[in-house]
Amino acid sequence: MGKRQEPKLGDNDMRLAKKRNIKSEYNMPPEVDPTPSGVLFETDTQTSDLGLDKDVSVLKKATPRKHEFVWFNILWFLFLHISSLYGLYLVFTSAKWQTNVFAFAVHLMCAIGIGAGSHRLWTHRSFKARTPLRTVLMIWQTMGFQDCIFEWARDHRTHHKYADTDADPHNAERGLFFSHMGWLCCKKSPEVIEGGRRIDLTDLYADPVVMFQKKHYMKMMPILCFVLPTMIPVYFWNESWMNAFLIPTILRYTCGINVVWSVNSFAHAFGYRPYDKSLNPRENIGVWMICVEGFHNYHHTFPWDYRATELPLYNMLTPTIMFIELMAKIGQAYDLKSVSPEIIKQRAHRTGDGTHHLWGWDDPEFNEKLKEKYATVNYEDKNVE
């Protein structure tokens, strides 16, 4: 997905750098002191309904700053999107049906590798996986080329821990374009670097699959993401090199990164917040229909839940969730975490915006006394919507 051109070091890397007297942004004294505005795991919660005991809405900010552009990424993204437009034209004009089906299959594998792998397994620890499954997810995640698992998980944990603040890598407070792809077009701010430095990555260092990929990522990624998806259509069903390169490789990859980016941008800007209205992430059915991930207020409220939403039907229609549950049935995934309906109800009443399908403003149990009590996020601050 393009390199951010800054150190990618965790706590163990930092300690090693100190021992070797290596100068880096990660072993220098911190310039900033980011304040957590979200939770990563159930152990981070402070209230009985699994939230924080403070109003995080007042922490949202985007301090004005002059960004340092990463021109390689900018040019790379321009090439991808312009080439993909031509690739989309070829889908309907000259590509063989096998090529289009293959492109979708590769896209689905990458989506599961990122959604079930680097996201739910390695970032949020929402379930556990045996070595064969972790290996498959690692290969599919590498094929998706959105940084190695270690860096992806570290940045995403930083996003959740410091959501919508200056320490959030793709802070939605900086606007739709920044949270979609602009954050990858400029260097990380000191707040983001310091936030990432404070994230506990012990579990990632202890995972041999993650460490293997981290060590060999730049050798594996070009083959899995670009070479094989281009060569297979040419040699297996005699597709043209142009079609094979532009459709299952470039167009597929460009669609994949925009799917993830859209959750970071559109699902942080448009929709309802039935679980916690102090958070920017929303429930956006439109994003779900395109990206098959869009119940983002639920996810940020309960990020360790392996499900996309509490709604069974939508989970059944979400490939990532279906894959995790299938792997659980054959014994490759286990200890799947979810949140009880009672906790969800308590949280929706206390911090939701009143739009919950069962426990919103129209719920008969939600009488005037409760509405008055929960009309705000039940905090002292008056800035809450």
PDB file of all heavy atoms in Angstrom, residues 29-44:
ATOM      1  N   PRO A  29      12.889  11.190  23.741  1.00  0.00           N
ATOM      2  CA  PRO A  29      11.882  11.557  24.748  1.00  0.00           C
ATOM      3  C   PRO A  29      10.587  11.981  24.073  1.00  0.00           C
ATOM      4  O   PRO A  29      10.609  12.652  23.044  1.00  0.00           O
ATOM      5  CB  PRO A  29      12.541  12.736  25.482  1.00  0.00           C
ATOM      6  CG  PRO A  29      13.998  12.560  25.244  1.00  0.00           C
ATOM      7  CD  PRO A  29      14.122  11.964  23.874  1.00  0.00           C
ATOM      8  N   PRO A  30       9.441  11.568  24.597  1.00  0.00           N
ATOM      9  CA  PRO A  30       8.166  11.925  23.966  1.00  0.00           C
ATOM     10  C   PRO A  30       7.936  13.434  23.955  1.00  0.00           C
ATOM     11  O   PRO A  30       8.197  14.123  24.932  1.00  0.00           O
ATOM     12  CB  PRO A  30       7.131  11.211  24.843  1.00  0.00           C
ATOM     13  CG  PRO A  30       7.813  10.993  26.150  1.00  0.00           C
ATOM     14  CD  PRO A  30       9.261  10.790  25.824  1.00  0.00           C
ATOM     15  N   GLU A  31       7.443  13.918  22.815  1.00  0.00           N
ATOM     16  CA  GLU A  31       7.148  15.340  22.688  1.00  0.00           C
ATOM     17  C   GLU A  31       5.707  15.644  23.085  1.00  0.00           C
ATOM     18  O   GLU A  31       5.367  16.787  23.343  1.00  0.00           O
ATOM     19  CB  GLU A  31       7.366  15.786  21.232  1.00  0.00           C
ATOM     20  CG  GLU A  31       8.762  15.532  20.700  1.00  0.00           C
ATOM     21  CD  GLU A  31       8.861  15.895  19.222  1.00  0.00           C
ATOM     22  OE1 GLU A  31       8.048  16.725  18.767  1.00  0.00           O
ATOM     23  OE2 GLU A  31       9.728  15.364  18.534  1.00  0.00           O
ATOM     24  N   VAL A  32       4.881  14.630  23.107  1.00  0.00           N
ATOM     25  CA  VAL A  32       3.456  14.820  23.343  1.00  0.00           C
ATOM     26  C   VAL A  32       2.966  13.765  24.321  1.00  0.00           C
ATOM     27  O   VAL A  32       3.636  12.773  24.582  1.00  0.00           O
ATOM     28  CB  VAL A  32       2.664  14.728  22.019  1.00  0.00           C
ATOM     29  CG1 VAL A  32       2.943  15.926  21.137  1.00  0.00           C
ATOM     30  CG2 VAL A  32       3.002  13.435  21.293  1.00  0.00           C
ATOM     31  N   ASP A  33       1.775  13.990  24.845  1.00  0.00           N
ATOM     32  CA  ASP A  33       1.199  13.060  25.822  1.00  0.00           C
ATOM     33  C   ASP A  33      -0.237  12.754  25.416  1.00  0.00           C
ATOM     34  O   ASP A  33      -1.185  13.348  25.948  1.00  0.00           O
ATOM     35  CB  ASP A  33       1.261  13.672  27.219  1.00  0.00           C
ATOM     36  CG  ASP A  33       0.813  12.690  28.298  1.00  0.00           C
ATOM     37  OD1 ASP A  33       0.792  11.475  28.007  1.00  0.00           O
ATOM     38  OD2 ASP A  33       0.498  13.136  29.411  1.00  0.00           O
ATOM     39  N   PRO A  34      -0.448  11.829  24.462  1.00  0.00           N
ATOM     40  CA  PRO A  34      -1.810  11.538  23.991  1.00  0.00           C
ATOM     41  C   PRO A  34      -2.670  10.912  25.077  1.00  0.00           C
ATOM     42  O   PRO A  34      -2.199  10.134  25.902  1.00  0.00           O
ATOM     43  CB  PRO A  34      -1.580  10.548  22.837  1.00  0.00           C
ATOM     44  CG  PRO A  34      -0.252   9.932  23.120  1.00  0.00           C
ATOM     45  CD  PRO A  34       0.557  10.997  23.787  1.00  0.00           C
ATOM     46  N   THR A  35      -3.948  11.281  25.086  1.00  0.00           N
ATOM     47  CA  THR A  35      -4.910  10.769  26.067  1.00  0.00           C
ATOM     48  C   THR A  35      -5.805   9.734  25.410  1.00  0.00           C
ATOM     49  O   THR A  35      -6.413  10.001  24.380  1.00  0.00           O
ATOM     50  CB  THR A  35      -5.779  11.914  26.609  1.00  0.00           C
ATOM     51  OG1 THR A  35      -4.934  12.909  27.193  1.00  0.00           O
ATOM     52  CG2 THR A  35      -6.757  11.397  27.656  1.00  0.00           C
ATOM     53  N   PRO A  36      -5.920   8.527  25.985  1.00  0.00           N
ATOM     54  CA  PRO A  36      -6.791   7.498  25.402  1.00  0.00           C
ATOM     55  C   PRO A  36      -8.235   7.978  25.295  1.00  0.00           C
ATOM     56  O   PRO A  36      -8.776   8.565  26.222  1.00  0.00           O
ATOM     57  CB  PRO A  36      -6.671   6.335  26.391  1.00  0.00           C
ATOM     58  CG  PRO A  36      -5.347   6.530  27.054  1.00  0.00           C
ATOM     59  CD  PRO A  36      -5.175   8.024  27.155  1.00  0.00           C
ATOM     60  N   SER A  37      -8.842   7.710  24.143  1.00  0.00           N
ATOM     61  CA  SER A  37     -10.237   8.099  23.924  1.00  0.00           C
ATOM     62  C   SER A  37     -11.096   6.907  23.529  1.00  0.00           C
ATOM     63  O   SER A  37     -12.242   7.075  23.127  1.00  0.00           O
ATOM     64  CB  SER A  37     -10.311   9.168  22.821  1.00  0.00           C
ATOM     65  OG  SER A  37      -9.764   8.668  21.609  1.00  0.00           O
ATOM     66  N   GLY A  38     -10.524   5.707  23.621  1.00  0.00           N
ATOM     67  CA  GLY A  38     -11.271   4.515  23.257  1.00  0.00           C
ATOM     68  C   GLY A  38     -10.687   3.295  23.937  1.00  0.00           C
ATOM     69  O   GLY A  38      -9.728   3.397  24.697  1.00  0.00           O
ATOM     70  N   VAL A  39     -11.278   2.149  23.655  1.00  0.00           N
ATOM     71  CA  VAL A  39     -10.816   0.900  24.257  1.00  0.00           C
ATOM     72  C   VAL A  39     -10.397  -0.066  23.157  1.00  0.00           C
ATOM     73  O   VAL A  39     -10.853   0.019  22.015  1.00  0.00           O
ATOM     74  CB  VAL A  39     -11.913   0.245  25.121  1.00  0.00           C
ATOM     75  CG1 VAL A  39     -12.274   1.146  26.291  1.00  0.00           C
ATOM     76  CG2 VAL A  39     -13.151  -0.072  24.290  1.00  0.00           C
ATOM     77  N   LEU A  40      -9.495  -0.981  23.508  1.00  0.00           N
ATOM     78  CA  LEU A  40      -9.059  -2.023  22.592  1.00  0.00           C
ATOM     79  C   LEU A  40      -9.646  -3.374  22.971  1.00  0.00           C
ATOM     80  O   LEU A  40     -10.202  -4.087  22.158  1.00  0.00           O
ATOM     81  CB  LEU A  40      -7.528  -2.128  22.604  1.00  0.00           C
ATOM     82  CG  LEU A  40      -6.746  -1.046  21.862  1.00  0.00           C
ATOM     83  CD1 LEU A  40      -5.260  -1.201  22.140  1.00  0.00           C
ATOM     84  CD2 LEU A  40      -7.015  -1.130  20.373  1.00  0.00           C
ATOM     85  N   PHE A  41      -9.506  -3.708  24.257  1.00  0.00           N
ATOM     86  CA  PHE A  41      -9.919  -5.006  24.753  1.00  0.00           C
ATOM     87  C   PHE A  41     -10.871  -4.825  25.930  1.00  0.00           C
ATOM     88  O   PHE A  41     -10.968  -3.743  26.509  1.00  0.00           O
ATOM     89  CB  PHE A  41      -8.698  -5.825  25.180  1.00  0.00           C
ATOM     90  CG  PHE A  41      -7.570  -5.771  24.194  1.00  0.00           C
ATOM     91  CD1 PHE A  41      -6.368  -5.166  24.514  1.00  0.00           C
ATOM     92  CD2 PHE A  41      -7.723  -6.313  22.936  1.00  0.00           C
ATOM     93  CE1 PHE A  41      -5.334  -5.105  23.606  1.00  0.00           C
ATOM     94  CE2 PHE A  41      -6.692  -6.266  22.011  1.00  0.00           C
ATOM     95  CZ  PHE A  41      -5.487  -5.656  22.345  1.00  0.00           C
ATOM     96  N   GLU A  42     -11.556  -5.899  26.304  1.00  0.00           N
ATOM     97  CA  GLU A  42     -12.483  -5.809  27.420  1.00  0.00           C
ATOM     98  C   GLU A  42     -11.785  -5.441  28.719  1.00  0.00           C
ATOM     99  O   GLU A  42     -12.401  -4.894  29.636  1.00  0.00           O
ATOM    100  CB  GLU A  42     -13.247  -7.131  27.566  1.00  0.00           C
ATOM    101  CG  GLU A  42     -12.369  -8.329  27.869  1.00  0.00           C
ATOM    102  CD  GLU A  42     -11.863  -9.035  26.631  1.00  0.00           C
ATOM    103  OE1 GLU A  42     -11.534  -8.336  25.642  1.00  0.00           O
ATOM    104  OE2 GLU A  42     -11.782 -10.272  26.643  1.00  0.00           O
ATOM    105  N   THR A  43     -10.485  -5.695  28.799  1.00  0.00           N
ATOM    106  CA  THR A  43      -9.725  -5.350  30.010  1.00  0.00           C
ATOM    107  C   THR A  43      -9.487  -3.844  30.137  1.00  0.00           C
ATOM    108  O   THR A  43      -9.081  -3.374  31.192  1.00  0.00           O
ATOM    109  CB  THR A  43      -8.372  -6.072  30.005  1.00  0.00           C
ATOM    110  OG1 THR A  43      -7.694  -5.815  28.766  1.00  0.00           O
ATOM    111  CG2 THR A  43      -8.574  -7.583  30.155  1.00  0.00           C
ATOM    112  N   ASP A  44      -9.730  -3.094  29.054  1.00  0.00           N
ATOM    113  CA  ASP A  44      -9.544  -1.640  29.098  1.00  0.00           C
ATOM    114  C   ASP A  44     -10.764  -0.909  29.637  1.00  0.00           C
ATOM    115  O   ASP A  44     -10.701   0.288  29.899  1.00  0.00           O
ATOM    116  CB  ASP A  44      -9.258  -1.099  27.681  1.00  0.00           C
ATOM    117  CG  ASP A  44      -7.957  -1.630  27.113  1.00  0.00           C
ATOM    118  OD1 ASP A  44      -7.036  -1.896  27.905  1.00  0.00           O
ATOM    119  OD2 ASP A  44      -7.874  -1.768  25.879  1.00  0.00           O
TER     120      ASP A  44
END
